[in-house]
Amino acid sequence: MITVIAETDHAALTLPTLECVEEARDVADGLHTSVHVLLPGHELDDLASALAAHGADQVTLVEHAALRQFSADGWLAALEPLLQEAAPTLILAPDSGHGRAWLPRLAARWYAPLVSGCIQVQVGADAQIELIRPSYGGARHEQLVCPGAGTVLATLAPGVRGVGIPRSHRHAELARVTPDLDPTAFRDRALRTLPADPRTVDLSEAELIVSGGLGLSGPEGVEMLRQLADQLGAALGGTRVIADRGWLPTERFIGTTGKIVAPRLYIGFGISGAGQHISGITDSETVIAVNTDRTAPLFSIADLGIVGDLHQIVPELMKQLGDESGAQ
Ligand SMILES: Cc1cc2nc3c(=O)[nH]c(=O)nc-3n(C[C@H](O)[C@H](O)[C@H](O)COP(=O)(O)OP(=O)(O)OC[C@H]3O[C@@H](n4cnc5c(N)ncnc54)[C@H](O)[C@@H]3O)c2cc1C
């Protein structure tokens, strides 16, 4: 059995959770086994069908009011007995703050291998689970196996796999467990969830993205776009070519080989719309394209297109936004 630990944000499943479920589905198919998802939290019944649609065979709601907010001690106390009983081949969780906080504790208690930040988990020819993760700052990938380990623990880097189309006809067996927890014994607890800083938020989680391409003409153009992003409270992304030129950090380029994003609004400035870039933005709710070339392919998937020079449009937009906030 492959077990996935699901995470939620504002009572919705996070995209990295769905990526883990889909990755686990592929591994489980390769091993002819099942995918079991543990969903810790409170009043999350509505989320089971989405987990099934992305590949879960069984969903267990680990239900307790004390799990409404994350606590590493709380998750360990609630999940360890269930995992011990299930003894899965692989425990997969998003490479998130939560996963990084509690999974190492479980690995230490079990003396089990934990491979964090994987970009892929696959089944090798000899039916061994192979874990692939970047090393040397992403310059190399290493492929790991853990022979002889009872249970392998792994976290999956967000935004690499992307989330596929849900199959709503899929159903999962649903169970509910109420763990016996003593919240006063938790040594850590979250007080509240604060909104993320758009400048540092992982692009795969960003709600608003301002993105730039070679049309920015250089690092000064990227700086101008960063100022617009700050004004809008948006995250800054771009194409691979501007990251390759060093105008943008590597972790902020979008596309097949970069981040897969799903914001409410994506605005692309000076981006032609190559297939490798577009495949990273198709889950965006609304796409706006700004380009001097009216035949640029990005226009073909955009909800709104502006044919014009970004070096005139961006300063004008910033001025108008400034005027608006000044008028309030
Ligand atoms: C194996 C492989 C994987 C790849 N993976 C990715 C990936 O994951 N993500 C990715 O992004 N790319 C990826 N690429 C690169 C991709 O093929 C394109 O080369 C790249 O996306 C193009 O970037 P761009 O739109 O910034 O540049 P260009 O294609 O050069 O487009 C620049 C655009 O800016 C417009 N422009 C110029 N001046 C202005 C102005 N003043 N105002 C407004 N518009 C202006 C131009 O009309 C043009 O349309 C990959 C390529 C390969 C071979």
Side-chain angles (χ1 to χ4, degrees):
M1 179 195 289
I2 312 294
T3 299
V4 173
I5 312 298
E7 294 180 6
T8 56
D9 184 23
H10 294 101
L13 293 164
T14 62
L15 291 178
T17 290
L18 298 179
E19 290 181 298
C20 281
V21 175
E22 292 188 1
E23 191 78 357
R25 176 77 268 152
D26 289 348
V27 175
D29 288 345
L31 294 174
H32 308 291
T33 185
S34 57
V35 176
H36 182 198
V37 179
L38 295 179
L39 175 57
H42 188 51
E43 296 171 347
L44 298 174
D45 302 42
D46 296 349
L47 305 182
S49 57
L51 292 166
H54 285 275
D57 299 302
Q58 283 170 273
V59 176
T60 300
L61 304 171
V62 186
E63 166 79 33
H64 198 292
L67 298 174
R68 195 192 291 273
Q69 294 278 19
F70 176 76
S71 152
D73 273 352
W75 278 37
L76 193 61
L79 299 175
E80 187 181 9
L82 300 172
L83 291 165
Q84 210 140 30
E85 197 185 322
T89 318
L90 172 72
I91 299 172
L92 191 62
D95 193 54
S96 64
H98 293 186
R100 284 195 293 269
W102 82 278
L103 264 187
R105 299 187 193 189
L106 184 67
R109 286 163 76 98
W110 288 9
Y111 208 64
L114 166 61
V115 184
S116 51
C118 296
I119 53 169
Q120 199 185 347
V121 185
Q122 63 189 26
V123 179
D126 50 358
Q128 279 213 82
I129 293 180
E130 297 174 350
L131 303 127
I132 298 165
R133 69 170 176 194
S135 59
Y136 299 107
R140 296 271 187 282
H141 289 172
E142 49 185 29
Q143 190 171 348
L144 297 129
V145 286
C146 306
T151 298
V152 175
L153 284 63
T155 63
L156 192 67
V160 178
R161 179 189 168 101
V163 178
I165 298 162
R167 312 216 179 272
S168 47
H169 63 275
R170 290 194 90 263
H171 294 287
E173 212 178 284
L174 183 62
R176 184 188 306 272
V177 172
T178 307
D180 186 14
L181 297 178
D182 173 11
T184 60
F186 299 174
R187 290 164 301 169
D188 66 303
R189 67 195 164 94
L191 297 177
R192 60 185 181 280
T193 309
L194 304 169
D197 182 343
R199 284 167 300 183
T200 53
V201 72
D202 192 305
L203 278 181
S204 53
E205 298 284 323
E207 295 253 306
L208 284 179
I209 295 179
V210 164
S211 180
L214 273 186
L216 290 171
S217 313
E220 309 74 33
V222 178
E223 182 48 38
M224 175 177 71
L225 210 57
R226 186 185 312 283
Q227 287 171 19
L228 175 65
D230 286 351
Q231 232 175 330
L232 289 169
L236 180 69
T239 60
R240 177 170 160 167
V241 281
I242 73 160
D244 285 348
R245 287 180 186 210
W247 302 354
L248 190 75
T250 312
E251 72 275 9
R252 301 201 85 75
F253 85 78
I254 297 167
T256 331
T257 48
K259 294 281 175 176
I260 307 291
V261 300
R264 280 190 295 113
L265 177 63
Y266 168 98
I267 317 177
F269 291 91
I271 293 176
S272 58
Q276 294 97 341
H277 187 77
I278 286 184
S279 66
I281 63 168
T282 45
D283 288 335
S284 307
E285 238 171 86
T286 303
V287 172
I288 300 178
V290 179
N291 202 306
T292 42
D293 175 6
R294 62 175 62 246
T295 67
L298 192 61
F299 283 134
S300 64
I301 63 135
D303 300 278
L304 179 71
I306 302 167
V307 179
D309 184 346
L310 71 88
H311 295 283
Q312 290 170 2
I313 291 168
V314 173
E316 182 57 31
L317 203 52
M318 288 199 290
K319 185 173 165 292
Q320 296 213 8
L321 286 166
D323 288 350
E324 229 169 71
S325 64
Q328 278 167 10

